[in-house]
Amino acid sequence: MLIARWLWSRRSAPARVARFALLPVSFAFRILMAARASGYRHRLLPSRSVGVPTVAVGNLTVGGSGKTPIAAWIAAYYASRGLIPGIVLRGYGGDEGDVHRRLVPDAVVVEEPDRLAACRQAELRGAQVVVLDDAFQRLDITRDLNIAVVSAESGRAVPWTLPAGPWREGWRALKRADLVVVTRKRASLDAATSIATRVSKIARGRPVAIARLGIARFQGLVTGTPMEATTIDGRRVLASAGIADPDTFAAQCRAIGADVRLIPWGDHHPFSPNDIRELVLAGRRVDYVVITEKDAVKLRSRWPGHRPEPLVALLDLVWERGQRGVERALNTVVMDIDALLAGT
């Protein structure tokens, strides 16, 4: 993943040459994805029904858009209405699944590459509505609401599809979205609004919302001790991030006022004993080691008890535009369930 970040974001001559060499494969991939989408649109390829109301959340790029926090917010919204939500995801070593379990304790979380089987398992375990995480391209499963998440930071990446760039599909794929959410982590609201305007034109007037994802507070990795976000203001911080966009995590820490050194890992990094020793040693030269929730899942039980615990950054999702439209769309999905519950 670190090689991919170099390939997709650097403007250096070696990166440009490498991308150019991969362009024929990228063009072939783009044609394949367009043909696949057309096949499902014209019902030449089968889509299977889950059996319960289903909301799909996904994006156009590989990782880093904020789809997992959006999916968790949706599940929490349904839980707040008294429903039992299911969250279905492919699963990458358990990190995102455990994050969902922490964020939405009432949800039925199922990690399984076979999404249809996972949805049915969630239904058997009591889920009344299923949220499919990372499923915008999973056209083999029907959905009642198709949500595309677009990062306002995506403009920093090169515009090519895989493997020369991070794009799974081009912007035109947003035409099949029922709702688009533009997320921003370090981009300005003006930049997010500009993206939202562009998206609205492509998505044929579908509702477009804007959400900000920022560090709300910290929590001790082992003890769970809560700490304010301003704890790192003016402090030397080692930011360790095994996510798709480590640079954005470092930028979020700097926005609070920290003097940040970043150790980037690949997305879903497993953390070997040597990696942990590296973090412990590097942590001696700073005031705090700060990690993401995804990495905390893998480090919590393995962190040396004699060393100061890292701080886990807890994100907060704030709707800056379109929250009511999002809620109306989510409510429409479960109208039949609401009617059934009202009659009991």
Side-chain angles (χ1 to χ4, degrees):
M1 193 65 189
L2 294 179
I3 294 175
R5 289 178 58 239
W6 169 83
L7 178 66
W8 297 339
S9 61
R10 296 296 183 265
R11 308 296 175 179
S12 64
R16 290 174 185 269
V17 170
R19 288 195 294 270
F20 181 79
L22 291 170
L23 283 181
V25 183
S26 290
F27 289 141
F29 181 84
R30 184 165 190 159
I31 292 171
L32 175 64
M33 292 298 289
R36 178 177 176 271
S38 177
Y40 281 109
R41 184 171 62 253
H42 292 96
R43 300 184 180 181
L44 300 176
L45 295 174
S47 292
R48 296 168 293 179
S49 177
V50 171
V52 293
T54 306
V55 177
V57 180
N59 58 1
L60 301 181
T61 59
V62 177
S65 68
K67 62 184 179 299
T68 294
I70 296 292
W73 186 93
I74 291 170
Y77 175 78
Y78 282 131
S80 72
R81 295 194 49 197
L83 300 174
I84 301 174
I87 303 176
V88 166
L89 62 162
R90 184 184 187 279
Y92 294 92
D95 51 6
E96 289 179 345
D98 284 346
V99 169
H100 277 306
R101 292 181 184 95
R102 189 196 66 79
L103 294 175
V104 196
D106 296 328
V108 176
V109 180
V110 181
E111 299 174 80
E112 168 64 53
D114 185 338
R115 300 295 182 90
L116 183 64
C119 289
R120 290 171 177 168
Q121 182 181 341
E123 183 183 6
L124 289 173
R125 291 169 55 185
Q128 297 168 298
V129 56
V130 168
V131 181
L132 289 164
D133 189 352
D134 195 10
F136 191 69
Q137 286 78 29
R138 288 303 307 258
L139 304 178
D140 56 330
I141 297 178
T142 60
R143 68 283 313 273
D144 298 281
L145 185 66
N146 204 26
I147 300 178
V149 181
V150 177
S151 168
E153 289 82 14
S154 61
R156 295 183 292 113
V158 295
W160 309 114
T161 50
L162 293 166
W167 297 85
R168 297 169 171 172
E169 297 182 273
W171 290 89
R172 290 174 60 87
L174 294 175
K175 290 182 178 181
R176 69 172 186 267
D178 301 309
L179 169 69
V180 181
V181 178
V182 176
T183 60
R184 70 181 185 98
K185 297 177 182 177
R186 55 172 162 168
S188 67
L189 180 57
D190 286 344
T193 301
S194 177
I195 293 287
T197 300
R198 177 182 180 182
V199 164
S200 184
K201 294 177 181 177
I202 298 171
R204 300 174 179 175
R206 298 288 198 277
V208 178
I210 299 176
R212 178 175 60 82
L213 297 170
I215 298 175
R217 60 193 183 282
F218 294 102
Q219 184 181 75
L221 173 66
V222 180
T223 64
T225 303
M227 303 181 73
E228 298 293 330
T230 53
T231 297
I232 66 171
D233 186 7
R235 300 301 185 93
R236 295 171 302 157
V237 165
L238 175 68
S240 170
I243 56 178
D245 188 3
D247 292 330
T248 289
F249 180 62
Q252 289 175 316
C253 293
R254 291 190 185 100
I256 298 173
D259 177 11
V260 180
R261 175 199 164 195
L262 172 65
I263 296 185
W265 311 94
D267 198 10
H268 307 288
H269 186 70
F271 288 99
S272 69
N274 285 337
D275 295 334
I276 296 174
R277 281 193 291 271
E278 179 182 347
L279 285 178
V280 169
L281 291 174
R284 294 176 179 175
R285 298 188 290 271
V286 297
D287 297 309
Y288 294 107
V289 174
V290 178
I291 64 176
T292 69
E293 289 185 271
K294 284 173 60 174
D295 296 331
V297 169
K298 288 167 285 194
L299 292 173
R300 185 167 286 114
S301 63
R302 302 169 61 199
W303 190 259
H306 63 284
R307 299 306 307 165
E309 62 180 349
L311 303 184
V312 182
L314 305 181
L315 298 182
D316 188 24
L317 187 152
V318 177
W319 293 103
E320 297 179 309
R321 165 181 156 182
Q323 179 176 354
R324 290 187 179 181
V326 173
E327 292 176 349
R328 281 195 297 268
L330 296 177
N331 292 341
T332 300
V333 171
V334 294
M335 285 179 59
D336 291 344
I337 297 178
D338 287 340
L340 181 63
L341 292 177
T344 59

Short mmCIF file of all heavy atoms in Angstrom, two decimals, residues 63-110:
data_model
loop_
_atom_site.label_atom_id
_atom_site.label_comp_id
_atom_site.label_asym_id
_atom_site.label_seq_id
_atom_site.Cartn_x
_atom_site.Cartn_y
_atom_site.Cartn_z
N GLY A 63 -10.13 3.10 -0.61
CA GLY A 63 -9.89 3.54 0.76
C GLY A 63 -9.83 5.05 0.96
O GLY A 63 -9.74 5.84 0.02
N GLY A 64 -9.91 5.44 2.24
CA GLY A 64 -9.64 6.80 2.64
C GLY A 64 -10.75 7.81 2.49
O GLY A 64 -10.57 8.99 2.77
N SER A 65 -11.95 7.40 2.08
CA SER A 65 -13.03 8.37 1.84
C SER A 65 -13.89 8.62 3.08
O SER A 65 -14.63 9.59 3.14
CB SER A 65 -13.92 7.91 0.70
OG SER A 65 -14.64 6.75 1.08
N GLY A 66 -13.81 7.72 4.05
CA GLY A 66 -14.66 7.86 5.24
C GLY A 66 -15.92 7.03 5.17
O GLY A 66 -16.86 7.27 5.91
N LYS A 67 -15.93 6.01 4.31
CA LYS A 67 -17.14 5.21 4.17
C LYS A 67 -17.46 4.42 5.44
O LYS A 67 -18.64 4.21 5.76
CB LYS A 67 -17.04 4.27 2.97
CG LYS A 67 -15.94 3.26 3.05
CD LYS A 67 -15.84 2.43 1.79
CE LYS A 67 -14.70 1.42 1.88
NZ LYS A 67 -13.37 2.06 2.05
N THR A 68 -16.44 3.98 6.17
CA THR A 68 -16.70 3.21 7.40
C THR A 68 -17.38 4.08 8.46
O THR A 68 -18.37 3.64 9.06
CB THR A 68 -15.41 2.58 7.92
OG1 THR A 68 -14.96 1.59 6.98
CG2 THR A 68 -15.63 1.90 9.27
N PRO A 69 -16.89 5.30 8.74
CA PRO A 69 -17.64 6.15 9.69
C PRO A 69 -19.06 6.47 9.23
O PRO A 69 -19.97 6.53 10.05
CB PRO A 69 -16.79 7.43 9.76
CG PRO A 69 -15.42 7.00 9.38
CD PRO A 69 -15.61 5.91 8.37
N ILE A 70 -19.25 6.64 7.92
CA ILE A 70 -20.60 6.90 7.40
C ILE A 70 -21.48 5.67 7.62
O ILE A 70 -22.63 5.78 8.08
CB ILE A 70 -20.55 7.25 5.90
CG1 ILE A 70 -19.79 8.56 5.67
CG2 ILE A 70 -21.96 7.33 5.33
CD1 ILE A 70 -20.47 9.79 6.20
N ALA A 71 -20.97 4.49 7.31
CA ALA A 71 -21.74 3.26 7.51
C ALA A 71 -22.10 3.08 8.98
O ALA A 71 -23.22 2.68 9.32
CB ALA A 71 -20.96 2.06 6.99
N ALA A 72 -21.15 3.37 9.87
CA ALA A 72 -21.41 3.25 11.31
C ALA A 72 -22.46 4.26 11.76
O ALA A 72 -23.34 3.94 12.58
CB ALA A 72 -20.11 3.44 12.10
N TRP A 73 -22.40 5.48 11.22
CA TRP A 73 -23.40 6.50 11.58
C TRP A 73 -24.79 6.05 11.16
O TRP A 73 -25.76 6.22 11.90
CB TRP A 73 -23.05 7.84 10.93
CG TRP A 73 -23.95 8.96 11.37
CD1 TRP A 73 -23.74 9.83 12.40
CD2 TRP A 73 -25.22 9.30 10.80
NE1 TRP A 73 -24.79 10.69 12.51
CE2 TRP A 73 -25.72 10.40 11.54
CE3 TRP A 73 -25.98 8.80 9.76
CZ2 TRP A 73 -26.95 11.00 11.26
CZ3 TRP A 73 -27.20 9.38 9.47
CH2 TRP A 73 -27.67 10.48 10.21
N ILE A 74 -24.89 5.48 9.96
CA ILE A 74 -26.19 5.00 9.47
C ILE A 74 -26.74 3.91 10.38
O ILE A 74 -27.92 3.93 10.76
CB ILE A 74 -26.05 4.49 8.02
CG1 ILE A 74 -25.76 5.67 7.08
CG2 ILE A 74 -27.31 3.76 7.58
CD1 ILE A 74 -25.37 5.25 5.68
N ALA A 75 -25.89 2.95 10.73
CA ALA A 75 -26.33 1.87 11.62
C ALA A 75 -26.75 2.43 12.98
O ALA A 75 -27.78 2.01 13.54
CB ALA A 75 -25.21 0.85 11.80
N ALA A 76 -26.00 3.39 13.50
CA ALA A 76 -26.35 4.00 14.78
C ALA A 76 -27.67 4.77 14.68
O ALA A 76 -28.47 4.80 15.64
CB ALA A 76 -25.23 4.93 15.25
N TYR A 77 -27.91 5.39 13.53
CA TYR A 77 -29.17 6.11 13.32
C TYR A 77 -30.35 5.15 13.40
O TYR A 77 -31.35 5.42 14.07
CB TYR A 77 -29.15 6.83 11.97
CG TYR A 77 -30.46 7.51 11.64
CD1 TYR A 77 -30.79 8.72 12.23
CD2 TYR A 77 -31.37 6.94 10.73
CE1 TYR A 77 -32.00 9.35 11.93
CE2 TYR A 77 -32.56 7.55 10.43
CZ TYR A 77 -32.88 8.76 11.04
OH TYR A 77 -34.07 9.37 10.75
N TYR A 78 -30.23 4.01 12.72
CA TYR A 78 -31.30 3.02 12.78
C TYR A 78 -31.47 2.48 14.21
O TYR A 78 -32.59 2.27 14.67
CB TYR A 78 -31.03 1.89 11.81
CG TYR A 78 -31.34 2.22 10.37
CD1 TYR A 78 -30.42 1.96 9.36
CD2 TYR A 78 -32.56 2.78 10.01
CE1 TYR A 78 -30.71 2.25 8.03
CE2 TYR A 78 -32.86 3.08 8.69
CZ TYR A 78 -31.93 2.82 7.71
OH TYR A 78 -32.23 3.12 6.39
N ALA A 79 -30.37 2.25 14.90
CA ALA A 79 -30.44 1.77 16.28
C ALA A 79 -31.15 2.78 17.17
O ALA A 79 -31.93 2.40 18.06
CB ALA A 79 -29.04 1.47 16.81
N SER A 80 -30.92 4.08 16.92
CA SER A 80 -31.57 5.12 17.72
C SER A 80 -33.08 5.15 17.50
O SER A 80 -33.82 5.66 18.34
CB SER A 80 -30.97 6.49 17.39
OG SER A 80 -31.37 6.93 16.10
N ARG A 81 -33.53 4.59 16.38
CA ARG A 81 -34.95 4.52 16.08
C ARG A 81 -35.58 3.23 16.60
O ARG A 81 -36.74 2.95 16.33
CB ARG A 81 -35.17 4.62 14.57
CG ARG A 81 -34.74 5.96 13.97
CD ARG A 81 -35.28 6.11 12.57
NE ARG A 81 -36.71 5.79 12.54
CZ ARG A 81 -37.39 5.52 11.44
NH1 ARG A 81 -36.77 5.50 10.28
NH2 ARG A 81 -38.68 5.24 11.48
N GLY A 82 -34.80 2.42 17.30
CA GLY A 82 -35.33 1.20 17.88
C GLY A 82 -35.22 -0.03 17.00
O GLY A 82 -35.76 -1.08 17.34
N LEU A 83 -34.52 0.10 15.88
CA LEU A 83 -34.33 -1.05 14.99
C LEU A 83 -33.00 -1.76 15.30
O LEU A 83 -32.10 -1.17 15.88
CB LEU A 83 -34.34 -0.59 13.53
CG LEU A 83 -35.62 0.11 13.05
CD1 LEU A 83 -35.42 0.62 11.63
CD2 LEU A 83 -36.80 -0.84 13.12
N ILE A 84 -32.90 -3.00 14.88
CA ILE A 84 -31.65 -3.75 15.02
C ILE A 84 -30.93 -3.69 13.68
O ILE A 84 -31.37 -4.32 12.71
CB ILE A 84 -31.91 -5.21 15.42
CG1 ILE A 84 -32.67 -5.28 16.74
CG2 ILE A 84 -30.58 -5.96 15.54
CD1 ILE A 84 -33.08 -6.70 17.13
N PRO A 85 -29.83 -2.94 13.59
CA PRO A 85 -29.12 -2.85 12.32
C PRO A 85 -28.09 -3.97 12.18
O PRO A 85 -27.51 -4.44 13.16
CB PRO A 85 -28.42 -1.49 12.42
CG PRO A 85 -28.14 -1.34 13.88
CD PRO A 85 -29.27 -2.04 14.61
N GLY A 86 -27.88 -4.39 10.97
CA GLY A 86 -26.77 -5.28 10.65
C GLY A 86 -25.74 -4.52 9.86
O GLY A 86 -26.09 -3.65 9.05
N ILE A 87 -24.47 -4.80 10.10
CA ILE A 87 -23.38 -4.21 9.31
C ILE A 87 -22.60 -5.35 8.70
O ILE A 87 -22.08 -6.22 9.41
CB ILE A 87 -22.45 -3.34 10.18
CG1 ILE A 87 -23.23 -2.23 10.88
CG2 ILE A 87 -21.34 -2.74 9.31
CD1 ILE A 87 -22.39 -1.39 11.82
N VAL A 88 -22.54 -5.35 7.38
CA VAL A 88 -21.88 -6.43 6.66
C VAL A 88 -20.68 -5.86 5.91
O VAL A 88 -20.79 -4.85 5.21
CB VAL A 88 -22.86 -7.11 5.68
CG1 VAL A 88 -22.11 -7.98 4.68
CG2 VAL A 88 -23.87 -7.94 6.44
N LEU A 89 -19.53 -6.49 6.07
CA LEU A 89 -18.33 -6.06 5.39
C LEU A 89 -17.47 -7.27 5.06
O LEU A 89 -17.62 -8.34 5.66
CB LEU A 89 -17.55 -5.05 6.21
CG LEU A 89 -17.00 -5.47 7.58
CD1 LEU A 89 -15.90 -4.50 8.00
CD2 LEU A 89 -18.09 -5.45 8.65
N ARG A 90 -16.56 -7.05 4.14
CA ARG A 90 -15.73 -8.16 3.69
C ARG A 90 -14.83 -8.65 4.82
O ARG A 90 -14.66 -9.83 5.02
CB ARG A 90 -14.87 -7.73 2.49
CG ARG A 90 -14.04 -8.86 1.91
CD ARG A 90 -13.15 -8.35 0.79
NE ARG A 90 -12.47 -9.45 0.10
CZ ARG A 90 -11.37 -10.05 0.55
NH1 ARG A 90 -10.83 -9.65 1.69
NH2 ARG A 90 -10.81 -11.04 -0.13
N GLY A 91 -14.23 -7.71 5.57
CA GLY A 91 -13.36 -8.07 6.67
C GLY A 91 -11.91 -8.15 6.24
O GLY A 91 -11.56 -8.88 5.33
N TYR A 92 -11.07 -7.36 6.91
CA TYR A 92 -9.63 -7.37 6.65
C TYR A 92 -8.90 -7.55 7.98
O TYR A 92 -8.41 -6.61 8.57
CB TYR A 92 -9.17 -6.05 6.00
CG TYR A 92 -9.73 -5.82 4.63
CD1 TYR A 92 -10.91 -5.11 4.44
CD2 TYR A 92 -9.07 -6.31 3.51
CE1 TYR A 92 -11.41 -4.89 3.16
CE2 TYR A 92 -9.56 -6.09 2.23
CZ TYR A 92 -10.73 -5.38 2.07
OH TYR A 92 -11.23 -5.16 0.80
N GLY A 93 -8.87 -8.78 8.46
CA GLY A 93 -8.15 -9.03 9.70
C GLY A 93 -8.89 -8.57 10.94
O GLY A 93 -8.33 -8.55 12.03
N GLY A 94 -10.16 -8.15 10.79
CA GLY A 94 -10.95 -7.83 11.96
C GLY A 94 -10.90 -6.41 12.43
O GLY A 94 -11.65 -6.03 13.34
N ASP A 95 -10.06 -5.54 11.84
CA ASP A 95 -9.94 -4.19 12.38
C ASP A 95 -11.20 -3.37 12.19
O ASP A 95 -11.73 -2.80 13.15
CB ASP A 95 -8.71 -3.46 11.83
CG ASP A 95 -8.62 -3.51 10.31
OD1 ASP A 95 -9.56 -3.99 9.67
OD2 ASP A 95 -7.59 -3.03 9.78
N GLU A 96 -11.73 -3.31 10.95
CA GLU A 96 -12.91 -2.49 10.71
C GLU A 96 -14.15 -3.08 11.39
O GLU A 96 -15.01 -2.36 11.87
CB GLU A 96 -13.14 -2.34 9.21
CG GLU A 96 -12.10 -1.45 8.54
CD GLU A 96 -12.31 -1.31 7.05
OE1 GLU A 96 -13.08 -2.12 6.48
OE2 GLU A 96 -11.71 -0.41 6.44
N GLY A 97 -14.24 -4.42 11.42
CA GLY A 97 -15.36 -5.04 12.10
C GLY A 97 -15.39 -4.69 13.57
O GLY A 97 -16.45 -4.37 14.13
N ASP A 98 -14.24 -4.71 14.23
CA ASP A 98 -14.19 -4.36 15.65
C ASP A 98 -14.46 -2.88 15.88
O ASP A 98 -15.03 -2.50 16.90
CB ASP A 98 -12.83 -4.75 16.23
CG ASP A 98 -12.69 -6.25 16.46
OD1 ASP A 98 -13.74 -6.93 16.43
OD2 ASP A 98 -11.58 -6.73 16.67
N VAL A 99 -14.05 -2.04 14.94
CA VAL A 99 -14.39 -0.61 15.04
C VAL A 99 -15.90 -0.43 15.00
O VAL A 99 -16.48 0.32 15.78
CB VAL A 99 -13.71 0.19 13.92
CG1 VAL A 99 -14.26 1.62 13.87
CG2 VAL A 99 -12.20 0.23 14.13
N HIS A 100 -16.57 -1.14 14.09
CA HIS A 100 -18.03 -1.06 14.01
C HIS A 100 -18.67 -1.55 15.31
O HIS A 100 -19.65 -0.97 15.79
CB HIS A 100 -18.54 -1.90 12.84
CG HIS A 100 -18.49 -1.21 11.52
ND1 HIS A 100 -19.06 0.02 11.30
CD2 HIS A 100 -17.93 -1.59 10.33
CE1 HIS A 100 -18.88 0.37 10.04
NE2 HIS A 100 -18.19 -0.58 9.43
N ARG A 101 -18.16 -2.61 15.87
CA ARG A 101 -18.73 -3.14 17.12
C ARG A 101 -18.60 -2.14 18.26
O ARG A 101 -19.49 -2.04 19.11
CB ARG A 101 -18.05 -4.46 17.49
CG ARG A 101 -18.35 -5.61 16.52
CD ARG A 101 -17.67 -6.90 16.94
NE ARG A 101 -17.91 -7.94 15.95
CZ ARG A 101 -17.08 -8.25 14.96
NH1 ARG A 101 -15.92 -7.59 14.85
NH2 ARG A 101 -17.39 -9.19 14.08
N ARG A 102 -17.50 -1.39 18.28
CA ARG A 102 -17.33 -0.39 19.32
C ARG A 102 -18.23 0.81 19.09
O ARG A 102 -18.85 1.33 20.02
CB ARG A 102 -15.87 0.09 19.37
CG ARG A 102 -15.56 0.97 20.58
CD ARG A 102 -14.26 1.72 20.41
NE ARG A 102 -14.33 2.70 19.33
CZ ARG A 102 -14.89 3.90 19.46
NH1 ARG A 102 -15.48 4.25 20.60
NH2 ARG A 102 -14.91 4.75 18.46
N LEU A 103 -18.35 1.24 17.83
CA LEU A 103 -19.15 2.43 17.52
C LEU A 103 -20.64 2.17 17.64
O LEU A 103 -21.39 3.07 18.04
CB LEU A 103 -18.82 2.92 16.11
CG LEU A 103 -17.40 3.46 15.88
CD1 LEU A 103 -17.20 3.79 14.40
CD2 LEU A 103 -17.15 4.69 16.74
N VAL A 104 -21.07 0.96 17.28
CA VAL A 104 -22.50 0.63 17.29
C VAL A 104 -22.68 -0.70 18.04
O VAL A 104 -22.82 -1.76 17.43
CB VAL A 104 -23.07 0.52 15.87
CG1 VAL A 104 -24.61 0.58 15.91
CG2 VAL A 104 -22.53 1.61 14.95
N PRO A 105 -22.69 -0.67 19.38
CA PRO A 105 -22.77 -1.91 20.16
C PRO A 105 -24.02 -2.73 19.88
O PRO A 105 -24.01 -3.95 20.06
CB PRO A 105 -22.73 -1.41 21.61
CG PRO A 105 -22.13 -0.05 21.55
CD PRO A 105 -22.56 0.52 20.24
N ASP A 106 -25.10 -2.08 19.46
CA ASP A 106 -26.36 -2.79 19.22
C ASP A 106 -26.43 -3.44 17.84
O ASP A 106 -27.42 -4.13 17.53
CB ASP A 106 -27.54 -1.83 19.38
CG ASP A 106 -27.67 -1.30 20.81
OD1 ASP A 106 -27.32 -2.04 21.73
OD2 ASP A 106 -28.12 -0.15 20.97
N ALA A 107 -25.42 -3.23 17.02
CA ALA A 107 -25.47 -3.74 15.65
C ALA A 107 -25.01 -5.20 15.60
O ALA A 107 -24.19 -5.66 16.40
CB ALA A 107 -24.59 -2.90 14.73
N VAL A 108 -25.55 -5.92 14.63
CA VAL A 108 -25.08 -7.27 14.30
C VAL A 108 -24.02 -7.12 13.21
O VAL A 108 -24.34 -6.73 12.08
CB VAL A 108 -26.24 -8.15 13.79
CG1 VAL A 108 -25.71 -9.51 13.36
CG2 VAL A 108 -27.32 -8.28 14.86
N VAL A 109 -22.77 -7.36 13.55
CA VAL A 109 -21.66 -7.17 12.61
C VAL A 109 -21.21 -8.52 12.07
O VAL A 109 -20.89 -9.43 12.84
CB VAL A 109 -20.47 -6.46 13.29
CG1 VAL A 109 -19.33 -6.27 12.29
CG2 VAL A 109 -20.92 -5.10 13.85
N VAL A 110 -21.19 -8.64 10.76
CA VAL A 110 -20.80 -9.89 10.11
C VAL A 110 -19.70 -9.58 9.10
O VAL A 110 -19.88 -8.75 8.21
CB VAL A 110 -21.97 -10.58 9.39
CG1 VAL A 110 -21.51 -11.90 8.76
CG2 VAL A 110 -23.12 -10.82 10.36
#
